[in-house]
Amino acid sequence: MDSKGWSVSLSRDWDVLGPFPIHAREQHFLSPSFPLDITAPIDLNATYPSAYADGGFVGWSKFRSEEGGNLQISFPDIRWESLRATEGWAALQHHSVLRSTITVYPPSHSTSPPANVPRLLVNLIQGSFFTVVPSSSQNPSVPEWHAGNIYALGQSPPNAVSLPVPPNTDSPTTYDIFMSGDYEIRLFGDPRGDAPKLSITVTVDIEEPEHAIVRDSSHDVSCDFVDGWAFGDAVGVGLLSVDGWWTVKDITPAHELLGLLRETRIAPCQRRIVPIKLTQTQPIDIDELQFTLTIVSPESLTSVDVAIPVRNRAHWSLADGESDSIKASYFFATSAPTAFVVAPPNKPNAGAILPPILALHGAGVEILEPEHDFWIRAIPRQEHSWIITPTGRTAWGMDWHGPSAQDAWGTVDALYRILDGRETWKQWRIALETKVLLMGHSNGGQGAWYLAARYPDRVVAVVPAAGYIKSQSYVSWVQSRSAHYIDPSLRAILDSSLTPDDNDLFLTNLADTPVLAIHGGDDENVPVWHTREAVSVLKTWSPLANVTYREDPGEPHWYESLFASEQVKSFVSSSLEKSTADDTTVSRSFTLTVSVPSESGSLHGWSIHSLTIPGRLGRLAVDMRKGAIHARTKNVKAFSIRLGALPVNEREKPFVLDGQTIELDEGTWNVGNFSLAMSQENGEWTPYAHSAISQTSPSGRIANVLSSIGPLTIVVPTQGPSTELSAALRLAHNLNVYYRLDADIINDEEALDTFGEASFGLGNVIVVGLGKFARSVLLQGKTAFRAQEHTLELRGRLLNEPSIAALFLHPHPSRTTSSVLFIYGVDVAGLERGLRLFPIRTGITVPDWVVVGSQADEQGSGGVEGAGVWGNDWSWSEAMSAF
């Protein structure tokens, strides 16, 4: 694609409209240009209602960006302190619309018209959405919105943006650019008495590639070598297709230790990380991995030479003066090359193998960057325990939920395989399926609470520092625009999609887990009351809970001595030592709380497998103090108990389940490692073998599509240019930027030919539009959505009104462990609306299915026309649906 000679300029003058009240993530329901309709002429003299302004209306303001593209937006005429006095941080969060112009210049020395239309590279940092549209003097069109890099994530590429109309070839062409500027406390912090200041950086360039497919080394993945042996088995190469569909077919390594894990096809404008398997039979002394990739398109064949630097270091026991951290690698979700960092113990195993420390970083910490090695250095070194620091996919990830939690546990399993795979490292290995001691700070502190409370039997102790309870408590939603329009019962269904993230609801699960909760007394980022309240909730559920609270007076959010106190060191070392003892304390009374069974572990061997009404909490209260094993359930359809996990003196006693007595024969009690499963049928509990209980449906909320056991597959009707392909490419870009999740884009015919085969992939599927594949899947009748003519039908209603969108989860056509997400729009405007609701961040309230109309542009979730959570086996749930 030859675009040489084209040039572009972004005006430094900006018109800004605002501020308007908003709560975090509400911008995914509202139009990013709210309150404007940018397909109509813009009146810069108009005013618009806003509860923040004296007089109740706001107008346009003028701002000018700095030379490098940074734009500082504030509204000093708003009496922020007065608003804050009653509404706190929530009053500081606001939305504004930013408008400027982009001018594209044709080649100045060309003697003939340029053959190709250039593409823009737009890099928006800490802005939520942007669009490039024809100037007001040209024909209006439905805006194509692109997500910005709102977290300022490192190593993230710009958006490749096709111009909405071709530029003039003999004179400059001007376009309008609109941006959604959303001030969030988590991003910009507390202004401490000043007016809140939105800081956005935007740059625009012309894409000028020299080749149709190019390297992107920022996406490369590698591991360290220790004494010549790779500390991992995964290598990744970043490639970008500038033009055309390319498939990586072969690798020619300089050393016979590299092989393609699988062929990788890359769509136009898509970046992917090519997975390469690293296998060794002997040590090697190299400074870089060198190889050549063979890449083909339907029209041509090319090759790309690759050299990835690696660090070759001595064994950690001999690494005097070297950094003691080691970069490891593994394949996340079977094929995504992923790096993580570990620190070895001081000594090899002596006797029982101790658990490792799993340390979760805070938001914005890029653990693979040298300047952020403070994180692993802050964790107290142990004599016999490894320290594992995962990335969580990116510096923000999914707040250690979903794929970030999947990555955290994946690194633990990967370290076991790495150490167990080399004979000289086995004396340092961790145990298979080991428990861990969790530590974390800030977002990682919240993540430590989260993982410990969802998987209590995998955790020996937890040290959460400066963690918040849940997003709705971090900054309240009192300024929500949507709340003024939405039916409260519908809002409750939408909000149920956040229930799995609400740490306070699951603290029952930590009654027997040793907890040392820490918070700086003058934390300016996460208010100290969050940890105080978490401890209070835990103590309310269990007054004898093994929880200690340490508050360091006068300390801020982060301080060097956070984990360096003798109390922390003693707690960590003693908890690790006690983890191998046989007399682990088990309360005779405890409660297991579960929201999504497929994303929850066991507590003292008790597991909840399915809920009576999915979308609501399930609780299982166990009491062994009355001569029998009593269990009372709330909203539990099936559960199991590993009999060997019961205290020895409680075995062979009868079970009393919701008043129903069940006694096991002696032979059942004597079966080794036996799990008894119970299912409620017609109001009575019936025992089963564990294997007889059906697998839980992977549903509950649309964000579950991100937790995939393999690469995501995005299906579009055709590979040719279309609104569906544009949506798929933007979706793949967002998955890469926010989660480093891989996506394979295929068309309907390929999906129909392969969906029952291994080549279709192991993971979840996202279907964009209503093509042949979508119709074939919907014909199975597994959910209440049906395909009718050229539209969808739900419960007898055709979803064919202009601008309407629907997103819904559906069972995978051939794999019970995976699912399908449909993104449907009745027209281009509807598809744009649906795409913005895809959960690229936590806190977007989309349950299993949602139907939203054009009123959402002004009313946020008040424009939702229906939403719900599927029942068991993907059935319609009257209790958890509004339509």
Side-chain angles (χ1 to χ4, degrees):
M1 180 177 176
D2 181 16
S3 60
K4 290 184 177 179
W6 290 95
S7 60
V8 64
S9 67
L10 171 64
S11 172
R12 293 173 59 189
D13 295 314
W14 290 84
D15 299 307
V16 178
L17 176 63
F20 302 96
I22 193 174
H23 80 64
R25 309 297 191 270
E26 200 168 12
Q27 64 267 43
H28 291 269
F29 284 93
L30 287 164
S31 167
S33 63
F34 169 81
L36 301 176
D37 174 7
I38 61 174
T39 64
I42 304 300
D43 182 1
L44 295 179
N45 295 313
T47 59
Y48 300 83
S50 172
Y52 279 168
D54 289 352
F57 286 81
V58 295
W60 291 87
S61 305
K62 297 285 188 181
F63 291 87
R64 186 169 173 81
S65 67
E66 299 174 0
E67 191 69 41
N70 183 254
L71 184 62
Q72 304 276 333
I73 304 293
S74 64
F75 302 95
D77 292 338
I78 303 297
R79 292 188 292 128
W80 295 107
E81 284 305 303
S82 175
L83 295 168
R84 177 177 179 155
T86 56
E87 314 307 329
W89 275 355
L92 303 183
Q93 302 210 145
H94 59 269
H95 162 77
S96 55
V97 186
L98 291 68
R99 172 185 177 270
S100 189
T101 57
I102 294 171
T103 303
V104 176
Y105 302 88
S108 56
H109 302 295
S110 176
T111 57
S112 59
N116 292 294
V117 176
R119 261 198 310 259
L120 302 181
L121 295 179
V122 181
N123 200 12
L124 174 59
I125 306 298
Q126 294 198 293
S128 51
F129 294 99
F130 74 89
T131 185
V132 177
V133 297
S135 68
S136 55
S137 61
Q138 298 173 311
N139 292 326
S141 58
V142 175
E144 184 177 272
W145 290 98
H146 297 257
N149 180 2
I150 199 167
Y151 291 143
L153 295 161
Q155 310 300 319
S156 294
N159 300 73
V161 179
S162 297
L163 292 168
V165 294
N168 299 322
T169 58
D170 56 1
S171 62
T173 307
T174 299
Y175 302 86
D176 289 337
I177 180 171
F178 288 87
M179 300 191 310
S180 176
D182 298 291
Y183 187 94
E184 293 186 19
I185 290 292
R186 284 192 75 190
L187 297 177
F188 301 106
D190 187 340
R192 298 262 171 169
D194 295 329
K197 184 176 292 184
L198 183 70
S199 180
I200 288 178
T201 299
V202 58
T203 60
V204 181
D205 296 295
I206 292 287
E207 187 177 55
E208 293 187 313
E210 295 186 3
H211 304 283
I213 187 159
V214 296
R215 285 264 285 118
D216 185 350
S217 60
S218 70
H219 281 49
D220 290 350
V221 176
S222 65
C223 63
D224 288 344
F225 281 68
V226 178
D227 284 344
W229 295 98
F231 208 77
D233 62 352
V235 174
V237 178
L239 290 180
L240 163 66
S241 170
V242 179
D243 187 30
W245 295 80
W246 293 88
T247 302
V248 181
K249 300 287 278 188
D250 198 8
I251 182 173
T252 306
H255 306 282
E256 297 300 322
L257 70 165
L258 301 174
L260 279 185
L261 188 70
R262 57 169 171 75
E263 293 184 359
T264 301
R265 187 171 65 176
I266 310 171
C269 299
Q270 187 184 15
R271 280 173 174 79
R272 295 190 73 180
I273 301 175
V274 179
I276 297 169
K277 179 78 171 178
L278 203 161
T279 308
Q280 285 182 266
T281 57
Q282 59 185 9
I284 189 170
D285 185 11
I286 55 175
D287 295 322
E288 59 183 20
L289 295 169
Q290 297 180 353
F291 50 92
T292 299
L293 296 176
T294 300
I295 312 172
V296 302
S297 74
E299 295 81 22
S300 62
L301 179 148
T302 189
S303 61
V304 173
D305 294 327
V306 179
I308 299 179
V310 295
R311 183 177 69 154
N312 205 332
R313 51 162 292 160
H315 189 278
W316 50 88
S317 64
L318 305 173
D320 186 30
E322 282 194 74
S323 168
D324 60 355
S325 63
I326 305 168
K327 183 170 71 168
S329 70
Y330 81 110
F331 290 106
F332 169 84
T334 71
S335 64
T338 300
F340 60 103
V341 180
V342 299
N346 295 326
K347 299 176 182 178
N349 296 321
I353 299 176
L354 299 187
I357 296 172
L358 183 59
L360 312 181
H361 64 76
V365 177
E366 306 269 3
I367 66 160
L368 302 178
E369 298 299 321
E371 62 268 25
H372 286 169
D373 70 343
F374 76 89
W375 173 237
I376 196 166
R377 288 190 288 104
I379 309 302
R381 290 296 181 270
Q382 302 300 309
E383 289 296 285
H384 301 289
S385 289
W386 286 80
I387 299 169
I388 306 172
T389 61
T391 63
R393 308 307 305 145
T394 63
W396 284 70
M398 204 175 189
D399 295 343
W400 296 108
H401 308 176
S404 298
Q406 185 182 350
D407 185 29
W409 294 122
T411 60
V412 177
D413 297 338
L415 181 60
Y416 165 78
R417 293 192 299 269
I418 291 168
L419 296 173
D420 190 62
R422 186 117 291 110
E423 192 63 37
T424 57
W425 296 348
K426 285 188 176 181
Q427 60 181 325
W428 301 82
R429 67 182 169 184
I430 62 176
L432 177 64
E433 297 181 351
T434 181
K435 295 184 178 184
V436 301
L437 186 148
L438 274 165
M439 300 182 74
H441 171 257
S442 190
N443 203 27
Q446 173 276 142
W449 283 115
Y450 176 87
L451 287 183
R454 303 321 184 278
Y455 302 92
D457 279 351
R458 287 207 67 176
V459 177
V460 300
V462 57
V463 185
Y468 56 92
I469 291 178
K470 56 186 175 185
S471 61
Q472 309 96 298
S473 295
Y474 188 73
V475 180
S476 82
W477 290 11
V478 67
Q479 295 295 80
S480 167
R481 179 173 181 82
S482 304
H484 303 307
Y485 304 97
I486 189 170
D487 182 333
S489 62
L490 173 57
R491 183 175 63 200
I493 292 173
L494 294 178
D495 289 354
S496 73
S497 64
L498 303 183
T499 301
D501 301 327
D502 293 349
N503 286 330
D504 49 352
L505 299 178
F506 301 89
L507 292 177
T508 66
N509 301 341
L510 296 182
D512 288 334
T513 303
V515 178
L516 174 57
I518 309 172
H519 219 118
D522 194 26
D523 192 327
E524 75 289 357
N525 189 308
V526 177
V528 66
W529 73 262
H530 282 263
T531 299
R532 296 172 185 162
E533 189 66 12
V535 171
S536 172
V537 171
L538 180 50
K539 282 288 190 180
T540 299
W541 278 106
S542 180
L544 299 179
N546 187 2
V547 57
T548 302
Y549 175 52
R550 176 188 175 95
E551 186 171 313
D552 292 326
E555 294 290 1
H557 186 58
W558 171 260
Y559 43 105
E560 293 294 331
S561 61
L562 180 62
F563 296 123
S565 71
E566 288 304 316
Q567 183 182 14
V568 174
K569 292 179 180 179
S570 175
F571 175 85
V572 170
S573 60
S574 64
S575 296
L576 291 169
E577 292 290 341
K578 292 176 182 177
S579 66
T580 61
D582 294 331
D583 60 345
T584 303
T585 301
V586 176
S587 294
R588 294 307 190 262
S589 175
F590 56 85
T591 299
L592 170 63
T593 302
V594 164
S595 174
V596 181
S598 60
E599 294 184 352
S600 305
S602 62
L603 171 61
H604 298 321
W606 296 73
S607 299
I608 295 176
H609 294 279
S610 62
L611 304 175
T612 306
I613 302 177
R616 296 181 180 176
L617 282 179
R619 284 201 165 115
L620 176 64
V622 178
D623 191 339
M624 297 179 282
R625 298 173 298 184
K626 303 173 183 177
I629 303 170
H630 292 262
R632 299 201 69 85
T633 65
K634 291 182 180 179
N635 194 38
V636 176
K637 181 176 175 59
F639 69 91
S640 68
I641 168 63
R642 186 163 45 86
L643 297 184
L646 290 169
V648 174
N649 59 354
E650 300 296 338
R651 297 174 190 174
E652 302 192 23
K653 291 182 178 180
F655 289 88
V656 181
L657 309 178
D658 296 325
Q660 175 187 345
T661 301
I662 296 177
E663 298 195 51
L664 305 181
D665 58 45
E666 185 176 351
T668 301
W669 282 107
N670 291 332
V671 175
N673 201 32
F674 181 76
S675 289
L676 173 69
M678 306 295 299
S679 179
Q680 194 172 58
E681 301 171 3
N682 300 320
E684 291 193 353
W685 288 103
T686 303
Y688 288 89
H690 185 271
S691 58
I693 295 294
S694 61
Q695 294 290 322
T696 55
S697 300
S699 64
R701 53 180 178 169
I702 284 173
N704 282 6
V705 78
L706 299 168
S707 299
S708 178
I709 63 172
L712 292 164
T713 300
I714 304 177
V715 182
V716 295
T718 176
Q719 287 184 355
S722 65
T723 55
E724 291 86 358
L725 179 59
S726 169
L729 290 171
R730 283 177 282 157
L731 186 56
H733 173 87
N734 296 341
L735 290 167
N736 175 39
V737 168
Y738 284 92
Y739 302 126
R740 278 295 189 270
L741 291 180
D742 189 32
D744 189 21
I745 301 175
I746 65 174
N747 64 28
D748 272 350
E749 297 300 331
E750 293 170 305
L752 288 168
D753 289 344
T754 63
F755 78 82
E757 304 172 7
S759 58
F760 189 65
L762 297 171
N764 296 331
V765 179
I766 301 171
V767 179
V768 181
L770 196 59
K772 294 178 181 178
F773 177 74
R775 293 173 180 277
S776 70
V777 174
L778 292 175
L779 276 174
Q780 297 178 355
K782 295 293 183 65
T783 73
F785 283 92
R786 301 286 189 271
Q788 297 288 348
E789 295 293 329
H790 300 291
T791 188
L792 284 178
E793 176 192 295
L794 178 61
R795 306 274 287 180
R797 172 186 162 187
L798 293 178
L799 305 180
N800 57 2
E801 298 93 340
S803 297
I804 207 165
L807 286 80
F808 58 96
L809 287 176
H810 187 283
H812 192 284
S814 59
R815 299 183 189 277
T816 59
T817 54
S818 299
S819 58
V820 179
L821 170 65
F822 285 85
I823 303 178
Y824 163 80
V826 72
D827 49 24
V828 176
L831 187 59
E832 288 291 322
R833 193 179 317 286
L835 190 62
R836 291 198 301 272
L837 286 180
F838 185 87
I840 60 173
R841 296 196 285 162
T842 55
I844 303 173
T845 54
V846 279
D848 277 345
W849 64 269
V850 61
V851 177
V852 59
S854 60
Q855 283 186 315
D857 284 350
E858 294 184 323
Q859 298 179 8
S861 59
V864 171
E865 301 191 10
V869 177
W870 297 128
N872 289 300
D873 300 320
W874 302 89
S875 60
W876 179 265
S877 172
E878 198 64 44
M880 288 297 296
S881 300
F883 186 64

